[in-house]
Amino acid sequence: MLTYIVRRIVYSIPVLIVASFLTFWGLRIAFDPLAKYRNTKGAVRTLAEQRKRLGLNHPLFIQWWNWFAKAIRGNLGVSDRTNNPVMGEIIHRLGTTIHLIIWSTILSAVLAIGVGVYSAVKQYSIGDYVFTGVSYIGLAMPPFWFGLMAILIFTTFPVTHWHLKSPIFYSIGLHSTGESGIFNLDYYRHLALPVLTLTVQSIASWSRFERASMLDVLSADYVRTARAKGVPRRKVIFKHAFRNALIPLLTVMALDTAFLFGGLIITEQIFAISGMGRYFLESLTAGDAPALTGWVVITALFVITFNLLADIMYSVLDPRIRLS
Amino acid sequence: MRLVAVVATVAIVLAACGSSKSNGSGNSGGATTTKAPKIVDGGTLTVGAEQEPDCFDWIDACGGSSWGSWMGQYQTVPRAFDPIPQGGGVLKNEPGVLLTGMPTFSATPVETITYHINPKAVWSDGVPITCDDFKYTADQIANGANIYDRTGYTDIAKVDCTDESSPVVTYKPGTAFSGWQALFAGGTGVLPSHILQGKDRDALMKNGYDWSGGPWIAKWTKGDNITLTPNTKYWGDQPHLAKVVFKFEADTAAEFQAFKSNQVQAIYPQPQIDVVDAIGSGIANANTATNANTAYVEALWLNNGKAPFDDEKVREALGYAIDRDAVVKQLFGKLGVDHAVNSINPFAIEDYSDQDAFAGYHLDLSKVNDLMTGDGWAKQGGIWTKNGQKAEFTLSTTSGNKRRQLTAQVVQSELQTAGFTMHINLRDAGDLFGEDLPKGNYQASLYASGLTALTPGLCSQFCSKNIPGPANQNSGQNWTRTNVKELDTQLEIVDTNPDAAAEKAAGKKGDEIMATNAVTFPLDPLPDILIWSKKVVGPVQDNSILGMFWNINEWGCAGGVC
């Protein structure tokens, strides 16, 4: 397995290089990093200074190479927008984003597996139909719309109609003024709506996936054999079927978790959370090529890592699979 | 004057729930005050902020954010002058509490300004504010790297500190700066030399700092908020509030909900359609005020160097083909703002402009016919045509801005009736302002320009020497490619003549010339909108340059609780 992991890591290096070059190249072509400096009366001098500072006097490939040479040493360059090191800014934002990813993954997994298993075991029951309907609604709802509706229902409505002094759940940031830490109610009242917004589609799709997977396993020969031998139903479901039904879902979960970065862009914007998603939007608005390239590289690293993790988990859960 | 492209990047989706009548809504005077019997000390006020600054080094290229200045700079950096509301939306430059009064000004033999520093003025560490601070600030702006705007500083010959309490600024012979009241004022202020001298100013300031020469000390928690706490050493009016928290909330719809759910108690939203509708319907437990006499002008900017607008008659005809008042009424009628602005100079500098210059342009289809037929155009299929070319053009504007899209659609409809075909091209703000306009890759555009200091002057935007080209390394801001010699003369007087009377006369004349030549068409004043909780007391008042929070040290919470 070690050989497999090393080989996967080696294979991912050219992917990262190509992704970083394409991003850098595309952004430098699409945006004028000097645009904001043109709006000054002292523009001529400022432009020359900025052109030099940003290294724009060099050909595009050299600009990227200069960036890349530093990036492989862990230096993702300096943000065009803030003049601060991109690595530091990303690490700061990543911490916030990891909060959201962990909580949304836990919530999605618990609810989706529970609903999926229930729906499979109680196939065609009223509960199954209800969960199926709710899942389709969840899949159809755009996160930005769901987020705003959640804000209306859980923050605005209780204050404006029930005259509560503070909303049930907050809609800005992860802490109230003066609060910090993650072991207090304030944190969870801030976390609830963004996590719910981020997970609504995952819960819906994962539960459908788990239901289908569980149904497959429940109709497998070895399950029928186990039941024919008199193994209790509960034991058959949770010992024989559940573990095998979990394997494909875990792969999907690992991949989806990496792609949560995309969903975070909208969610963090709506709930004013300063994480990687908002960093992407701010950098994109400013045409900040070093920041966006850094963002793409870090995101790509996450996708690759979670892909690898999915494969490893697959082999651990199913010993028949050998990674070689 | 620095050009500020006011771009709303977020569409507003608002579901208004409250219905109680608002107080002050529709006030276009901009000077609304909440009377409170007594302002008690204490309380925390949370404000929704639509933008997080890129950095706190206000003179650096990264420090140009208006919201950044409103929240951080104006609260901590002392200033020689402030634009102060005089009622009716009029602003007037007045010496700040940093000075004892008006500086001594002399235009001959060289321009000289002598400031008199308030002897009580100290930094938050107790060190007096002195001439060294003025000298250091002027030197940094004139000679520092990555400076956002050096206007007025590069021609300073010296800052004489013979008397530490009376800095004397002397200009180089043969140079003059008519906007001298902008020196050490809003855009820059005065920086503490005893903290920054000989060090990397940008590194020490850009991520926030703990010193202050204003009423507040600002703490920037990146990604979350800027928190103001009183500067106990401030020699002016001490803040009543114990704390002000500016919470960053870039999504305007969510910001509105945060206000309605009392998570924030004041917001200063962009004038978007949904915001206007919400104010029209009333917001529960809130005071609202609007100010149409602002420092902004939203206009139809015409590329005078590109067909069909390289033809002055076509430009004039366009002016008679649009009912600009109707456009403004449709956008802001619910706020009581229903007349177009008639000068490219914003109202904030009305003394230096003719605010009626474009009033002659109103919907008049017979004039359109006269102008177009007189210029050799004829209607074919309802569209003006000349030498096989149709009177057809594309209007470029920023994407994601509902108000601009609606404006463009209304104008498009009116022009079609008048025989013009207009296409709408929604562009990313970065592309529009970074590429299209500087390079002239547009025919007409819709955006706003505004003031960041109370200094008149449109030369940077309309003098022929500022048409982007090799002579100015393509950095000129005359994006309309206006090239009118007599206009150059007048606008250069405004920029360089220290005689205020001559400046004012030239400014008015400049407006008239712009209208006569139909170089472009102003539309609306982009009203400022203030919304604050009824729990907030004190002189809440718009300042279209310094923002809504310019006097927040005088605000309080009713009963000490917001």
Side-chain angles (χ1 to χ4, degrees):
Chain A
M1 184 180 299
L2 185 65
T3 313
Y4 173 81
I5 293 171
V6 170
R7 201 167 60 228
R8 283 285 298 269
I9 291 171
V10 171
Y11 286 164
S12 65
I13 291 172
V15 173
L16 285 172
I17 293 173
V18 171
S20 72
F21 176 72
L22 289 177
T23 308
F24 197 92
W25 173 75
L27 289 165
R28 277 288 187 243
I29 285 180
F31 292 100
D32 174 13
L34 297 176
K36 68 179 179 182
Y37 306 114
R38 296 186 195 282
N39 295 339
T40 68
K41 282 184 179 173
V44 176
R45 183 170 169 175
T46 305
L47 279 175
E49 287 168 358
Q50 296 304 326
R51 194 174 282 118
K52 190 176 170 190
R53 179 177 76 84
L54 301 174
L56 301 176
N57 296 326
H58 301 297
L60 197 59
F61 183 80
I62 300 295
Q63 288 179 40
W64 170 78
W65 179 253
N66 289 339
W67 176 88
F68 180 73
K70 288 178 187 165
I72 55 177
R73 295 195 294 269
N75 177 357
L76 293 175
V78 174
S79 160
D80 288 356
R81 181 170 58 94
T82 64
N83 291 355
N84 280 320
V86 171
M87 184 58 103
E89 291 188 340
I90 284 182
I91 286 172
H92 176 71
R93 305 288 187 117
L94 203 54
T96 305
T97 289
I98 284 173
H99 279 238
L100 291 178
I101 287 181
I102 288 175
W103 283 111
S104 60
T105 304
I106 291 172
L107 183 70
S108 301
V110 169
L111 291 180
I113 291 171
V115 168
V117 170
Y118 174 87
S119 292
V121 173
K122 304 274 186 184
Q123 193 184 12
Y124 303 133
S125 65
I126 292 175
D128 180 29
Y129 284 125
V130 169
F131 283 130
T132 300
V134 171
S135 295
Y136 285 132
I137 292 170
L139 283 170
M141 276 192 296
F144 73 89
W145 183 84
F146 181 84
L148 285 175
M149 288 305 109
I151 290 172
L152 276 174
I153 294 165
F154 293 108
T155 66
T156 310
F157 190 85
V159 172
T160 55
H161 288 77
W162 297 342
H163 306 292
L164 299 184
K165 283 188 176 174
S166 66
I168 297 169
F169 297 121
Y170 294 112
S171 63
I172 22 178
L174 286 180
H175 294 103
S176 296
T177 306
E179 298 280 355
S180 60
I182 60 170
F183 299 108
N184 57 62
L185 186 61
D186 178 75
Y187 170 69
Y188 295 103
R189 284 173 74 186
H190 279 81
L191 197 69
L193 297 186
V195 165
L196 197 63
T197 304
L198 204 57
T199 55
V200 65
Q201 290 193 319
S202 300
I203 295 169
S205 65
W206 292 1
S207 66
R208 301 307 300 160
F209 201 89
E210 178 63 9
R211 179 183 183 273
S213 177
M214 194 73 185
L215 282 173
D216 271 354
V217 175
L218 286 174
S219 62
D221 290 343
Y222 74 92
V223 172
R224 273 206 301 272
T225 305
R227 294 186 67 175
K229 284 166 73 179
V231 179
R233 178 178 160 80
R234 181 177 292 269
K235 195 172 179 183
V236 168
I237 291 169
F238 289 103
K239 189 169 180 187
H240 296 271
F242 179 65
R243 179 170 160 157
N244 284 333
L246 213 55
I247 295 169
L249 178 68
L250 283 174
T251 311
V252 172
M253 283 169 61
L255 295 176
D256 280 3
T257 301
F259 287 111
L260 270 180
F261 277 94
L264 283 164
I265 293 171
I266 301 292
T267 308
E268 290 185 351
Q269 181 73 359
I270 292 174
F271 293 99
I273 295 169
S274 181
M276 287 289 280
R278 208 162 167 200
Y279 188 68
F280 172 83
L281 264 188
E282 289 167 358
S283 305
L284 186 69
T285 309
D288 188 343
L292 283 168
T293 312
W295 188 92
V296 167
V297 167
I298 297 295
T299 307
L301 268 175
F302 264 81
V303 173
I304 288 166
T305 305
F306 276 95
N307 262 307
L308 186 59
L309 209 60
D311 286 347
I312 293 169
M313 281 194 303
Y314 214 92
S315 74
V316 170
L317 289 167
D318 188 348
R320 291 170 302 175
I321 296 166
R322 289 286 172 265
L323 301 176
S324 58
Chain B
M1 183 168 84
R2 297 197 307 215
L3 175 73
V4 177
V6 180
V7 181
T9 54
V10 184
I12 302 168
V13 182
L14 183 71
C17 295
S19 60
S20 83
K21 198 171 179 177
S22 61
N23 184 16
S25 181
N27 177 352
S28 59
T32 297
T33 301
T34 305
K35 298 283 185 192
K38 184 176 184 295
I39 299 175
V40 296
D41 289 346
T44 296
L45 173 67
T46 307
V47 177
E50 291 207 343
Q51 196 185 356
E52 180 172 11
D54 290 338
C55 80
F56 255 44
D57 182 359
W58 312 111
I59 64 173
D60 188 272
C62 62
S65 151
S66 293
W67 267 99
S69 296
W70 296 339
M71 296 182 288
Q73 182 185 13
Y74 301 154
Q75 314 299 346
T76 60
V77 179
R79 301 176 297 279
F81 278 90
D82 277 326
I84 303 294
Q86 306 293 305
V90 175
L91 294 171
K92 185 183 172 192
N93 264 331
E94 292 182 0
V97 291
L98 175 62
L99 305 179
T100 55
M102 186 62 88
T104 312
F105 176 82
S106 170
T108 54
V110 289
E111 187 170 322
T112 305
I113 307 127
T114 305
Y115 298 88
H116 307 287
I117 301 173
N118 187 332
K120 294 178 185 168
V122 292
W123 297 103
S124 50
D125 56 7
V127 173
I129 299 175
T130 66
C131 177
D132 287 341
D133 300 320
F134 282 68
K135 188 173 188 173
Y136 169 78
T137 305
D139 175 62
Q140 286 292 301
I141 297 171
N143 304 306
N146 301 336
I147 298 301
Y148 186 79
D149 188 356
R150 301 180 195 276
T151 307
Y153 291 90
T154 47
D155 289 332
I156 290 176
K158 64 173 181 176
V159 178
D160 184 354
C161 288
T162 306
D163 179 351
E164 272 295 347
S165 64
S166 297
V168 182
V169 173
T170 309
Y171 274 79
K172 294 170 187 168
T175 65
F177 180 45
S178 62
W180 62 272
Q181 292 184 0
L183 295 174
F184 311 109
T188 54
V190 178
L191 301 175
S193 61
H194 71 288
I195 294 172
L196 303 171
Q197 184 98 49
K199 296 175 185 162
D200 183 344
R201 182 209 73 247
D202 184 51
L204 287 174
M205 289 180 66
K206 68 180 176 183
N207 293 312
Y209 46 81
D210 58 6
W211 52 262
S212 175
W216 302 93
I217 289 175
K219 183 175 185 297
W220 181 16
T221 303
K222 286 197 175 186
D224 191 69
N225 71 77
I226 290 171
T227 298
L228 305 179
T229 49
N231 167 15
T232 53
K233 292 282 191 337
Y234 185 60
W235 64 98
D237 292 334
Q238 272 290 326
H240 293 291
L241 292 162
K243 195 186 280 183
V244 177
V245 182
F246 288 97
K247 273 273 191 186
F248 309 137
E249 177 60 270
D251 184 277
T252 315
E255 179 192 35
F256 243 89
Q257 298 310 322
F259 178 81
K260 291 168 86 171
S261 58
N262 197 34
Q263 293 179 82
V264 300
Q265 290 87 43
I267 54 176
Y268 196 42
Q270 294 206 31
Q272 286 290 353
I273 303 299
D274 295 334
V275 174
V276 172
D277 287 346
I279 291 174
S281 329
I283 303 171
N285 301 315
N287 294 301
T288 61
T290 58
N291 178 14
N293 296 330
T294 67
Y296 294 94
V297 172
E298 177 116 339
L300 279 177
W301 306 85
L302 306 178
N303 188 341
N304 290 207
K306 201 163 196 168
F309 301 119
D310 54 351
D311 183 338
E312 186 188 323
K313 295 297 174 194
V314 175
R315 298 200 300 267
E316 283 183 46
L318 192 82
Y320 291 109
I322 304 168
D323 188 345
R324 293 180 300 123
D325 285 346
V327 174
V328 175
K329 191 170 184 177
Q330 180 145 359
L331 293 173
F332 305 120
K334 287 180 182 166
L335 303 179
V337 181
D338 50 13
H339 284 87
V341 290
N342 286 309
S343 168
I344 305 294
N345 280 297
F347 181 84
I349 45 169
E350 64 161 352
D351 286 353
Y352 296 81
S353 62
D354 178 355
Q355 290 293 317
D356 289 324
F358 284 81
Y361 289 100
H362 49 79
L363 185 63
D364 187 342
L365 294 181
S366 65
K367 281 244 186 191
V368 175
N369 286 335
D370 292 347
L371 284 161
M372 294 301 277
T373 51
D375 198 35
W377 296 79
K379 267 193 177 172
Q380 284 183 10
I383 303 297
W384 294 107
T385 309
K386 182 181 178 182
N387 302 327
Q389 294 296 311
K390 288 183 176 176
E392 184 175 22
F393 68 96
T394 298
L395 177 81
S396 305
T397 191
T398 50
S399 56
N401 187 317
K402 282 182 171 180
R403 186 193 68 247
R404 291 213 169 106
Q405 288 176 32
L406 176 62
T407 308
Q409 286 161 3
V410 174
V411 169
Q412 184 183 45
S413 169
E414 289 185 344
L415 287 176
Q416 189 165 12
T417 308
F420 293 87
T421 299
M422 187 186 101
H423 307 286
I424 299 170
N425 184 18
L426 300 179
R427 298 283 284 154
D428 175 84
D431 293 337
L432 181 65
F433 298 112
E435 291 287 320
D436 301 353
L437 301 174
K439 292 179 180 169
N441 296 332
Y442 78 105
Q443 290 170 291
S445 187
L446 173 68
Y447 59 91
S449 78
L451 301 170
T452 52
L454 200 58
T455 50
L458 289 175
C459 191
S460 62
Q461 288 172 267
F462 290 98
C463 282
S464 56
K465 68 181 180 187
N466 291 320
I467 295 173
N472 53 36
Q473 295 183 15
N474 294 306
S475 64
Q477 293 168 56
N478 182 352
W479 294 338
T480 57
R481 276 75 185 165
T482 298
N483 189 357
V484 182
K485 286 234 172 330
E486 52 180 339
L487 180 61
D488 288 352
T489 308
Q490 300 302 328
L491 295 184
E492 279 169 13
I493 290 171
V494 179
D495 260 12
T496 59
N497 195 326
D499 176 0
E503 273 188 292
K504 289 174 184 175
K508 291 177 197 296
K509 185 73 181 164
D511 264 345
E512 287 165 21
I513 295 168
M514 283 193 279
T516 306
N517 289 271
V519 296
T520 206
F521 286 100
L523 278 179
D524 60 72
L526 215 58
D528 290 338
I529 295 172
L530 297 71
I531 303 174
W532 69 103
S533 162
K534 287 188 172 166
K535 295 172 186 168
V536 177
V537 293
V540 181
Q541 188 179 29
D542 187 36
N543 182 322
S544 52
I545 290 180
L546 296 183
M548 174 185 177
F549 314 103
W550 66 285
N551 60 349
I552 202 166
N553 53 319
E554 296 176 43
W555 298 14
C557 295
V561 180
C562 276

